[in-house]
Every structure is written in C-alpha cells, then in structure tokens.
Amino acid sequence: GKRAVTNYSNQIVELHGLDSSKNLDSTFEQHDGHISFREYYENKKCHGSRSKKVKLLESQEQALVVSHRYEGKGQDKRIECTLYFLPQLLHVIVPMELQSDDTKQRLRSMAHPEMADIVSATKKINATLNAMQRTCLFKTESECLRVEGYVLRPPNIRYKTRKGMDSVCALEFGGREWKNVNAFSFDL
C-alpha cells in the first residue's frame, strides 16, 4: 500500500482508498458529540504548537482518504477502525526506486551542491561585504589550498543469499531486498 505524511503532525498513515460519500461537511462521533471534519480541522492545532492551527488550503473536498487500522494476523486479520484524512493535508511518500532518474538526480544535486558553486557563492558574499566596508568571519584565499586526504569509495553491502553471505559495492546493489542486508563496510 501507499503511505502519506500529515502536514500538521508528521504522522505516517497507510492509504487504503478514497470515500466519495464523505467530504468536509460530513460528521463523525467524538467523545462530546458529533462534529464535522471542517470544524475538527479548523480547531486542530499543529503538532508541537500551542497556537498555530491547521490551515485548510481548499474550502471543499470531493472525497476523503481512507486509512484502516487492523488487528490480528493472517486469516484473523480484520479492520479495527477506519480513519479519514483530508487529501489537502497529506503528502504522499514516493519511494526512491519509483522516482524517475531525473528526479533522483535533481534531489542529489540539491542535497550536495558542487564545490565550485559553494566557492563562487562565498566569493560573492565576501565581495559584497568588502564593498560595504564590513568585515566578515571568513576570508576567501586567492590561491587554492593543498590538502591530503583519503578517497572514500562507496560502501560494500553484505547481504544474505540462498548460498550464504555475499558482498557487493553499493552502486551495484540494485534492486535486491534491503531486509537481507546485515552489514556495510568501507575500504579506505
């Protein structure tokens, strides 16, 4: 099944479908009587905040997202309760393996900017501060620094196979199941 995160409490919920018979004005029973989903969410506070309330982005919803909680296992598994969520307050989690190569590359580039970009941004900030005749906590050197260090290669992943344990470079791991992984090792 698919999963999503609520934008008001960071709760992860399993998505089991949509119920088009429910909308913002549908009611449900709460400990002190019936309340509409609209009233409930308009009065709900964001997780970790005493004053910030959940903000509804849309005034209408055509359907609500259904999430079941189950109890029991196997043939004894049954629905314990059904929860309803507003689609506008959920962020669907898309596993990395289902994302396009272009999306993965853009995420990597945002997470790890190129060194040249960092240096040019630093020089630009330094030039702006110098033009304003202000001092800064850092100084841009006019020459490159020489350093010695280690080259870190991608880790090796050790995983269980039918024949025992095997090891492969993380870049070659591919689509094998992570549940079979039991160790990582690095070569310096």
Side-chain angles (χ1 to χ4, degrees):
K2 294 193 179 198
R3 291 182 175 180
V5 177
T6 61
N7 71 355
Y8 54 88
S9 66
N10 294 329
Q11 174 188 2
I12 296 176
V13 295
E14 294 279 339
L15 307 179
H16 296 105
L18 290 172
D19 186 343
S20 58
S21 69
K22 303 252 186 230
N23 59 43
L24 276 172
D25 297 316
S26 300
T27 60
F28 64 96
E29 192 171 334
Q30 210 176 17
H31 51 31
D32 55 353
H34 282 76
I35 186 171
S36 73
F37 286 97
R38 183 184 309 279
E39 292 171 305
Y40 175 79
Y41 283 107
E42 284 176 347
N43 294 315
K44 186 165 183 62
K45 294 193 176 19
C46 292
H47 179 72
S49 173
R50 293 185 178 159
S51 61
K52 185 178 175 188
K53 291 190 175 184
V54 173
K55 181 180 177 187
L56 295 180
L57 305 172
E58 300 289 334
S59 61
Q60 294 298 321
E61 289 285 2
Q62 294 180 2
L64 297 184
V65 174
V66 176
S67 179
H68 301 299
R69 286 202 181 147
Y70 293 96
E71 67 180 10
K73 292 185 178 183
Q75 293 179 345
D76 296 331
K77 185 176 180 179
R78 64 179 185 83
I79 296 174
E80 177 185 358
C81 69
T82 300
L83 304 172
Y84 296 93
F85 294 91
L86 304 183
Q88 62 179 295
L89 300 178
L90 296 175
H91 300 290
V92 176
I93 300 170
V94 180
M96 281 300 284
E97 59 268 11
L98 297 180
Q99 295 183 16
S100 70
D101 289 338
D102 182 53
T103 302
K104 289 179 192 175
Q105 185 60 38
R106 281 189 286 133
L107 288 171
R108 282 189 204 104
S109 67
M110 288 188 316
H112 305 288
E114 296 292 324
M115 184 55 70
D117 295 338
I118 296 170
V119 170
S120 64
T122 305
K123 285 182 178 180
K124 189 175 180 180
I125 292 168
N126 199 18
T128 303
L129 290 172
N130 286 338
M132 296 169 51
Q133 297 179 347
R134 302 250 171 126
T135 58
C136 58
L137 299 174
F138 57 89
K139 180 182 176 192
T140 306
E141 297 291 333
S142 58
E143 295 180 23
C144 290
L145 299 174
R146 293 191 156 276
V147 295
E148 290 185 30
Y150 293 99
V151 173
L152 292 177
R153 294 180 186 89
N156 292 319
I157 296 178
R158 294 189 51 80
Y159 60 96
K160 197 177 349 175
T161 66
R162 290 185 187 127
K163 297 177 184 176
M165 295 300 295
D166 200 356
S167 177
V168 68
C169 175
L171 298 175
E172 300 166 10
F173 188 65
R176 294 182 184 92
E177 291 191 34
W178 283 98
K179 69 179 182 182
N180 294 332
V181 172
N182 69 358
F184 297 89
S185 63
F186 290 89
D187 295 327
L188 296 179

